[in-house]
Amino acid sequence: MSGPYETVIGLEVHAQLRTRTKMFCGCSTGFGAAPNTQTCPVCQGNPGSLPVINKRAIEFGIRTALALGCTVNLQNRFARKHYFYPDMPKNYQISQYEEPLAEHGTLEVAAGGAPRVIGIQRLHLEEDVGKLVHEGEFATARASHVDYNRAGVPLMEIVSKPDLRSPEEAGAYLRALRAIVVYLGVCDGNMEEGSLRCDANVSLRIAGSDVLGTKVEIKNLNSFRHVQHALEYEVKRQAQALDVGERLTQETRLWDPERGRTVAMRSKEFAHDYRYFPEPDLPPLDLAATEVERLRGDLPELPAAKRVRFVQAYGLSPHEAELLGQGRGLADYFEAAARESGKPKAVANWVLNELLRELPGDDDAAVAACPITPSRLAGLLALIDDGTISGKIAKDVFEKMFRSGEDARAIVGREGLTQVADTDTLAGVVDQVLAQHAKVVEDWRNGKKAALGFLVGQVMKSTQGKANPAVVNQLLGEKLPKV
């Protein structure tokens, strides 16, 4: 930010792991089930029940840690984090504290035109808590209900160092992190369903100082837009307070998107408030180095490497590579169509401008359900290349392919959309257009270049977009000087 202050932001990102069962029991992690139908004595915290660690969740945590360049701690352990809230039946959360799964990673982000490396402080695993459902607004609710289906769902918490310097950078960091966990297949990245959410710690300090200011935490931000807007508001609020000499309070605040402001929730707890101690019902985790290396060897090509390859191998712009490389499904779709058509730039244009406009989202599920397969998109491009259809008609065919799931050639044949390139046929249309637009012809004679484009458009309109533009331009070039 400008002025006497420097913004200091750190993010704590919670990613729900894509395991079929919960962190410490065999209950389903499926979303949307009837309340309290996916619970058992373990995730309800009933006396005498004992947790069992989900091996798949450990593997997912290790894969993410390796992708972020973290050091995996071969010896780590779970701890009890105590606090009291009605959505947590045990009154403690099983998490990791002094001995996390991994530490000391990095993530490169691009914001404001320059790449920056953001430090990853730690990555640890924990269980999620339940969910409160209020009848009406929280403050005036007639009743509140508790759904424990979410209690025990495996979470991975990735804590950045306070290296972020603007809300824009924080948004870029979150997008980059989401892309990685989605590529790895360890999290679906669905922020609307809460699969990926974050807490943001923000403070201001005098520019050039290494002394941190009073930190405020903003809880449970579940969209990129909310993260950026909440941080922008909070930075402004803190700056205004400091300008008038007000002393800021270390506290937890909530983002109210309706009013566009953060509101105080509670004073900030410190680690000692949680009375952490090692979880007595779980043994320390002792990981085999060979297993960690096996998982390292199985890592897929990650988004940053893929973006570089897209630029080098396919001649895409960095911006195109960034957009196409955000999701693994979209990237795979692009590559399959590019390989089959041999025209990566054209495929990129069609995917970014036409396909993403039609799809309900750019996530892997939306791409997988797309009725236009990469092969069919390549088929459409082939019809443009061989002159069967014009670019304008191709857009209409594309829409019909998306609605019907049909092949482009079948639609073109059935609806008679083949391009008209016959000179004699088009010459008559050109003559008619020139006769109808004498004023435009006069404009062209007087040097108005745009007049030619208008006349081409009129011919295309008269032929319902079927005219070959090259032939139309040739005919107009021959006939206009003679009119």
Side-chain angles (χ1 to χ4, degrees), residues 158-197:
I158 302 163
V159 182
S160 81
K161 292 182 178 176
D163 291 347
L164 298 158
R165 291 293 172 265
S166 69
E168 182 190 10
E169 244 179 39
Y173 170 89
L174 191 57
R175 287 186 180 86
L177 192 56
R178 179 185 181 275
I180 287 177
V181 297
V182 171
Y183 261 69
L184 293 172
V186 303
C187 173
D188 64 18
N190 190 326
M191 299 186 79
E192 288 185 357
E193 295 179 0
S195 299
L196 192 77
R197 55 189 190 270

Side-chain angles (χ1 to χ4, degrees), residues 15 17 58-70 102 123 156 158 177 180-181 184 186-187 299:
L17 297 174
I58 301 296
E59 289 181 355
F60 283 176
I62 294 172
R63 282 165 61 84
T64 308
L66 294 173
L68 294 171
C70 292
L123 181 154
M156 173 173 63
I158 302 163
L177 192 56
I180 287 177
V181 297
L184 293 172
V186 303
C187 173
L299 289 178

Side-chain angles (χ1 to χ4, degrees), residues 59-264:
E59 289 181 355
F60 283 176
I62 294 172
R63 282 165 61 84
T64 308
L66 294 173
L68 294 171
C70 292
T71 299
V72 175
N73 295 322
L74 297 181
Q75 292 182 323
N76 61 90
R77 69 180 303 155
F78 287 93
R80 288 188 180 183
K81 178 183 180 182
H82 292 82
Y83 64 98
F84 305 98
Y85 208 63
D87 62 1
M88 194 169 64
K90 292 195 287 271
N91 280 334
Y92 65 83
Q93 180 186 25
I94 303 179
S95 181
Q96 292 188 308
Y97 180 48
E98 292 179 321
E99 300 165 87
L101 180 65
E103 301 170 279
H104 312 310
T106 57
L107 178 60
E108 184 175 305
V109 301
R116 286 200 61 231
V117 176
I118 306 302
I120 304 293
Q121 185 171 310
R122 57 186 277 141
L123 181 154
H124 66 258
L125 302 179
E126 62 187 23
E127 59 179 342
D128 206 348
V129 297
K131 178 183 178 183
L132 292 179
V133 182
H134 307 293
E135 291 187 10
E137 294 296 323
F138 171 72
T140 57
R142 290 173 298 173
S144 296
H145 307 274
V146 188
D147 179 3
Y148 288 135
N149 280 353
R150 204 174 66 183
V153 164
L155 294 180
M156 173 173 63
E157 181 170 344
I158 302 163
V159 182
S160 81
K161 292 182 178 176
D163 291 347
L164 298 158
R165 291 293 172 265
S166 69
E168 182 190 10
E169 244 179 39
Y173 170 89
L174 191 57
R175 287 186 180 86
L177 192 56
R178 179 185 181 275
I180 287 177
V181 297
V182 171
Y183 261 69
L184 293 172
V186 303
C187 173
D188 64 18
N190 190 326
M191 299 186 79
E192 288 185 357
E193 295 179 0
S195 299
L196 192 77
R197 55 189 190 270
C198 81
D199 304 335
N201 292 299
V202 56
S203 63
L204 300 185
R205 65 183 174 191
I206 298 298
S209 170
D210 57 359
V211 179
L212 293 173
T214 301
K215 181 174 65 177
V216 168
E217 181 186 47
I218 310 172
K219 292 286 286 184
N220 290 330
L221 297 164
N222 63 353
S223 80
F224 298 118
R225 182 164 48 89
H226 287 177
V227 169
Q228 191 144 344
H229 289 177
L231 287 171
E232 287 169 353
Y233 173 85
E234 188 59 23
V235 168
K236 186 176 179 181
R237 184 188 74 85
Q238 292 187 23
Q240 290 174 340
L242 294 172
D243 281 344
V244 296
E246 183 181 331
R247 187 172 183 177
L248 292 166
T249 304
Q250 180 158 320
E251 62 183 349
T252 297
R253 299 177 71 88
L254 292 175
W255 171 242
D256 183 343
E258 300 297 325
R259 292 189 289 172
R261 58 182 298 183
T262 62
V263 293

